[in-house]
Amino acid sequence: MTNSGSDRPGEFEMIARLFAPLSHSAPGAFGLTDDAATIAPPAGEELVVTADALVEGVHFLRDDPPESIAKKSLRMNLSDLAAKGAKPMAYLLALSLPDWIDIAWLETFARGLGEDQRAYEIHLIGGDTTRTPGPLTLAITAMGSIPRGTMIRRSGAQAGDLIFVSGTIGDAGGGLAILKGEGDSISDAQRAALIARYREPLPRVTLGLALRGIASASLDVSDGLLADLGHIAETSKVRIAVDVMRVPLSPALQACWRDDQVARVRAATAGDDYEIAFTAPEANRSVVLEAAAGAGVAVTEIGRAEAGHGVVLLDAGGREIAVPRKGFTHF
Ligand SMILES: [Mg+2]
């Protein structure tokens, strides 16, 4: 890949050969043969740029299939673009590889990237590969495009706006719990469904595009629904109240964690959902639901923004639930 700084040229040439085909549809990538790439958004649009790093043991497990690790790393970035209303264009990939990674692993990894590139219409345009004595680490910088000035910010929520979330919440947390030994009582199909949500999240790219001009604030749920809504509350200077029993749970998660308040609190404070949480004026409610139907994604109204600050979970009687931990914290 571009800028490859390695003392094992044979191996790294092979890596370049694996990754160069992923760049062939991007004219400014020059087949990964130059020091840098060029990229231009369509006329009248601007680039939306986001970066996410994934570390073995933190975002994925060493035994996860290489194609799943590839897809999760790309999809985490696609999820950020989706939450901003951006159309995916291109990405850069930096790999820090420990010695246990072999060419067969990399071939499977590259195949996973290729499958997602076709699914989400995004192209590799460059990156870097190094060795590391530490854990496997992947850093992706993704770029999308959006009509100038229309990126959906975190800061646009107003008191009175409704709170929505796409898909279902807590499935990835359930999948991780299963990989760590929970969930003996549920069916194999349900276990597989939850583990798939942990390993291969589903970025809501089509929904994100449909929310342009409709949502007042938006972000993707990575650290936990409650923690991430807290970011909207803080930047928008509103209080966000979420009705815990409206937090959407999948049938598989209900089987695994039950369908009570405890399960919904746990789901709202688990992480790795990669759903879109957003706000919209009440007048846009039907437009939101039409946009979601058009995108083929379920969207659930879960609460309301009010004057004040912070984020709270309310029980079925409207009383505030004490939540010791709102989500995943990295430090
Ligand atoms: Mg995000």
Side-chain angles (χ1 to χ4, degrees), residues 72 76 79 201-204 220-222 272-276:
K72 185 167 191 177
M76 279 172 59
S79 179
L202 298 169
R204 304 303 188 180
D220 71 322
V221 182
S222 54
D272 273 335
D273 296 293
Y274 301 103
E275 296 291 352
I276 299 180

Side-chain angles (χ1 to χ4, degrees), residues 188-247:
D188 287 350
Q190 288 169 329
R191 292 169 61 88
L194 295 176
I195 291 170
R197 287 289 308 252
Y198 172 72
R199 286 182 172 158
E200 298 187 5
L202 298 169
R204 304 303 188 180
V205 173
T206 310
L207 175 65
L209 294 174
L211 291 177
R212 287 176 178 175
I214 296 175
S216 51
S218 170
L219 48 55
D220 71 322
V221 182
S222 54
D223 295 341
L225 177 65
L226 206 57
D228 285 317
L229 283 175
H231 299 317
I232 288 184
E234 190 178 339
T235 51
S236 294
K237 298 185 170 61
V238 293
R239 175 183 196 256
I240 288 179
V242 173
D243 298 320
V244 75
M245 294 310 287
R246 295 163 90 180
V247 172

Side-chain angles (χ1 to χ4, degrees), residues 178 185-195 251-253 255-256:
I178 287 168
S185 59
I186 64 174
S187 72
D188 287 350
Q190 288 169 329
R191 292 169 61 88
L194 295 176
I195 291 170
L253 193 69
C256 192

Side-chain angles (χ1 to χ4, degrees), residues 16-327:
R17 277 205 295 279
L18 278 180
F19 289 103
L22 298 176
S23 72
H24 284 167
S25 311
F30 313 114
L32 306 185
T33 58
D34 213 311
D35 301 286
T38 62
I39 182 168
E45 304 211 351
E46 60 189 347
L47 288 180
V48 175
V49 185
T50 181
D52 267 304
L54 285 85
V55 179
E56 171 195 331
V58 179
H59 301 91
F60 59 87
L61 306 174
R62 182 187 289 209
D63 294 338
D64 286 344
E67 63 270 35
S68 291
I69 295 172
K71 290 178 179 182
K72 185 167 191 177
S73 56
L74 196 49
R75 291 177 187 192
M76 279 172 59
N77 284 274
L78 287 162
S79 179
D80 276 319
L81 293 180
K84 302 295 101 185
K87 186 176 189 304
M89 287 184 72
Y91 68 101
L92 303 165
L93 169 65
L95 283 171
S96 300
L97 302 173
D99 285 338
W100 62 266
I101 298 281
D102 58 17
I103 287 296
W105 190 98
L106 286 165
E107 281 172 350
T108 314
F109 177 84
R111 193 169 63 237
L113 286 179
E115 287 170 10
D116 265 15
Q117 288 193 189
R118 285 186 290 281
Y120 295 102
E121 297 179 61
I122 190 167
H123 308 287
L124 181 68
I125 59 169
D128 194 16
T129 310
T130 63
R131 298 172 70 180
T132 177
L136 171 62
T137 304
L138 304 89
I140 287 186
T141 301
M143 286 151 270
S145 69
I146 197 160
R148 206 161 282 162
T150 65
M151 188 177 92
I152 310 171
R153 306 274 311 274
R154 292 180 173 186
S155 57
Q158 306 224 339
D161 281 1
L162 307 177
I163 315 296
F164 296 91
V165 71
S166 65
T168 52
I169 291 297
D171 292 328
L176 180 59
I178 287 168
L179 290 171
K180 291 183 169 177
E182 271 186 52
D184 287 342
S185 59
I186 64 174
S187 72
D188 287 350
Q190 288 169 329
R191 292 169 61 88
L194 295 176
I195 291 170
R197 287 289 308 252
Y198 172 72
R199 286 182 172 158
E200 298 187 5
L202 298 169
R204 304 303 188 180
V205 173
T206 310
L207 175 65
L209 294 174
L211 291 177
R212 287 176 178 175
I214 296 175
S216 51
S218 170
L219 48 55
D220 71 322
V221 182
S222 54
D223 295 341
L225 177 65
L226 206 57
D228 285 317
L229 283 175
H231 299 317
I232 288 184
E234 190 178 339
T235 51
S236 294
K237 298 185 170 61
V238 293
R239 175 183 196 256
I240 288 179
V242 173
D243 298 320
V244 75
M245 294 310 287
R246 295 163 90 180
V247 172
L249 303 194
S250 69
L253 193 69
Q254 289 177 28
C256 192
W257 285 358
R258 291 194 300 277
D259 185 22
D260 55 14
Q261 181 175 306
V262 172
R264 281 167 203 265
V265 170
R266 188 175 179 189
T269 54
D272 273 335
D273 296 293
Y274 301 103
E275 296 291 352
I276 299 180
F278 62 98
T279 64
E282 190 164 5
N284 283 359
R285 180 188 275 131
S286 61
V287 190
V288 164
L289 298 177
E290 278 166 33
V297 179
V299 155
T300 307
E301 185 185 326
I302 55 170
R304 191 177 281 271
E306 303 162 345
H309 60 87
V311 58
V312 291
L313 270 183
L314 304 179
D315 69 14
R319 291 173 297 263
E320 204 173 308
I321 301 170
V323 179
R325 178 180 165 277
K326 290 193 166 64

